[in-house]
Amino acid sequence: MINRGTHARVAAVRRVLDGFLRATAAHGGGVRRQVVSLGAGYDTSALLLAEAAGGAPPRALAYFELDFHEVAARKAAALAAAPDMMDLLGAGCADDVVQPAEGVLRTRAYALAPWDLRAPTAALSARLVELGFDARAPTLVLCECVLSYLDPEHGQALVEWAASLELGALALYEAVRPDDAFGRQMAKHLAERGCPLRGVAAAPDAKAHEARLVRAGFARASALDMYALYTRSDGVDRADAARAARIESLDEIEEWRMLMEHYAFATAVSARAADELGLDAQILFGAVPEGPTPCALSSW
């Protein structure tokens, strides 16, 4: 069940990344575009994008990843020890920085660095600039299970920072519905593991995430729980979903549905990103028709 949920999350993030790259590629030849993954963990999206682009980073893309020092150091060590992965990240220039103990990697197309997301956002901007970030360039900010674990004021500061980017877009995946029986049990389980959901009450459902993003300064926002997104969005590759279903059969359909309904995926875009790049918050993850789920249970 957890694996199926992970597949749904990865599919949603990949849809957003692909949509962002298509829109910015159409904006003009050679335009620089950026992805900033906050709390990136051990995510491999930068590697997968390079594989899909033929074995090298997508043209004119800079990919930034930030996380706590312990996580960044482990990830940097793993990447530095794998020449094939370093090639995918654009390594090979004289000015590459490879400092695994410090949690730092930097190539012409990729940067990984340690960062505490509770720090002031002015310091976050300054650190990103040191890594090669350009606040004027089209930028997609990714937050996967980040805001749920931060105190509300720190999460709000990150959302407002992302909204301040003139050509910015944001995609987030977060826990929701903490107050029903399933949500209380989920929160209790995570708290016992040392991961309390400090920020989930600030946006307890998908609609609250939409409202929060608009209040923060985004021109447009759209959010759905993951069950609705995975089963109804036309942005989900149905053949790939069926393939995943065949790999791991699932009997606990209702339990899986409850799990999926307790996570939300949201996207938001700035006014200039919408007007100049043609980015639309909902189009980023596909249209979602009203009405009952069109998929048969057996296809999950």
Side-chain angles (χ1 to χ4, degrees), residues 65-258:
E65 295 189 321
L66 300 174
D67 211 320
F68 285 120
H69 176 268
E70 181 180 359
V71 176
R74 288 180 179 176
K75 188 170 190 176
L79 291 171
D84 55 341
M85 291 195 288
M86 291 297 289
D87 289 343
L88 288 171
L89 297 175
C93 297
D95 56 354
D96 288 349
V97 178
V98 182
Q99 300 172 333
E102 286 74 35
V104 175
L105 280 182
R106 184 176 176 185
T107 73
R108 62 180 175 82
Y110 174 80
L112 167 66
W115 192 256
D116 186 337
L117 296 175
R118 297 167 296 184
T121 54
L124 168 64
S125 293
R127 181 62 178 126
L128 284 170
V129 169
E130 291 174 354
L131 296 170
F133 179 76
D134 182 354
R136 301 165 298 177
T139 302
L140 172 64
V141 178
L142 298 177
C143 291
E144 297 182 60
C145 287
V146 170
L147 305 183
S148 300
Y149 296 102
L150 290 174
D151 288 325
E153 63 270 24
H154 297 132
Q156 185 64 25
L158 290 177
V159 171
E160 291 176 357
W161 172 80
S164 73
L165 300 172
E166 293 186 6
L167 290 172
L170 171 70
L172 59 84
Y173 169 86
E174 302 292 345
V176 292
R177 297 179 61 182
D179 296 323
D180 63 15
F182 189 97
R184 289 193 297 272
Q185 182 59 37
M186 180 175 72
K188 179 175 180 292
H189 172 70
L190 290 169
E192 289 173 348
R193 296 178 59 192
C195 305
L197 294 173
R198 301 178 186 277
V200 69
D205 56 37
K207 288 299 181 184
H209 274 291
E210 284 187 5
R212 180 189 200 178
L213 294 172
V214 171
R215 287 197 308 271
F218 284 105
R220 303 176 190 175
S222 187
L224 288 170
D225 71 62
M226 286 298 295
Y227 179 77
L229 178 62
Y230 194 61
T231 60
R232 291 166 48 198
S233 169
D234 69 4
V236 173
D237 184 332
R238 294 294 155 211
D240 190 52
R243 178 192 62 81
R246 289 192 298 270
I247 292 172
E248 183 176 87
S249 61
L250 185 65
D251 296 326
E252 305 88 355
I253 297 297
E254 282 304 313
E255 190 174 346
W256 181 73
R257 176 174 181 158
M258 285 190 292

Side-chain angles (χ1 to χ4, degrees), residues 8-28:
R9 173 180 60 82
V10 171
V13 171
R14 185 56 185 269
R15 162 75 190 213
V16 171
L17 283 167
D18 289 346
F20 174 75
L21 293 179
R22 282 195 304 272
T24 50
H27 180 61

Side-chain angles (χ1 to χ4, degrees), residues 14 21 31-35 44-64 83-93 96 106-111:
R14 185 56 185 269
L21 293 179
V31 64
R32 175 189 171 92
R33 55 264 179 88
Q34 303 170 140
V35 175
T44 59
S45 293
L47 297 168
L48 294 174
L49 288 174
E51 282 189 332
R59 183 171 57 88
L61 175 66
Y63 206 109
F64 301 88
D84 55 341
M85 291 195 288
M86 291 297 289
D87 289 343
L88 288 171
L89 297 175
C93 297
D96 288 349
R106 184 176 176 185
T107 73
R108 62 180 175 82
Y110 174 80

